[in-house]
Amino acid sequence: MSDCLFCRIAAGEIPSKKVYEDDDFLAFHDIRPIAPVHFLIIPKLHLASLVQCEDTHQALLGRMLLLAPKLAAEQGMADGFKCGINTGVGGGQEVFHLHLHVFGHPA
Ligand code: 5GP
Ligand code: ZN
């Protein structure tokens, strides 16, 4: 989607500080971090939020979640980290392309 910020980041049209990339996911540092380490994991597939996810997205969601501990460890958060998925206006979501916040402190 050309009018979606995170689709444009995934396409490389808007620069980001990349943490990880494969065929289906991109992870990059949040531009306004709320912790010393704060990155976002997004599927390259445009899904507006968790509300738009269906049974067919089960594997994608599972793989996104499983990336969190792997990338958190690579970013030095050996003691643990926090995860969040803001969902919908009432959930404080600002960018309507599904993303998993991963944040915390390096150990
Ligand atoms: P939300 O509130 O939708 O869960 O979070 C969106 C996040 O995206 C915010 O934490 C915000 O700082 C981050 N963000 C917004 N625009 C950009 C951008 O252009 N680049 C990066 N790296 N992060 C962004
Ligand atoms: Zn998108």
Side-chain angles (χ1 to χ4, degrees):
M1 275 180 55
S2 58
D3 59 345
C4 168
L5 175 63
F6 285 179
C7 280
R8 296 190 67 194
I9 287 178
E13 294 169 14
I14 294 175
S16 66
K17 273 178 66 186
K18 196 186 296 183
V19 168
Y20 173 83
E21 182 168 20
D22 65 25
D23 287 348
D24 300 315
F25 298 96
L26 178 70
F28 53 96
H29 290 283
D30 196 295
I31 207 166
R32 283 176 287 150
I34 59 166
V37 179
H38 182 184
F39 60 88
L40 307 172
I41 306 174
I42 67 166
K44 292 184 176 178
L45 176 71
H46 179 85
L47 291 161
S49 85
L50 212 45
V51 173
Q52 280 72 35
C53 293
E54 303 188 356
D55 288 352
T56 51
H57 302 119
Q58 188 173 344
L60 192 77
L61 290 171
R63 287 168 55 213
M64 182 168 78
L65 207 51
L66 286 169
L67 274 173
K70 177 177 180 285
L71 301 183
E74 287 177 9
Q75 293 298 311
M77 296 189 285
D79 282 348
F81 55 89
K82 296 186 182 186
C83 278
I85 302 179
N86 297 333
T87 303
V89 175
Q93 187 174 1
E94 291 177 3
V95 178
F96 282 80
H97 179 126
L98 179 66
H99 52 280
L100 175 63
H101 290 263
V102 183
F103 53 99
H105 297 258

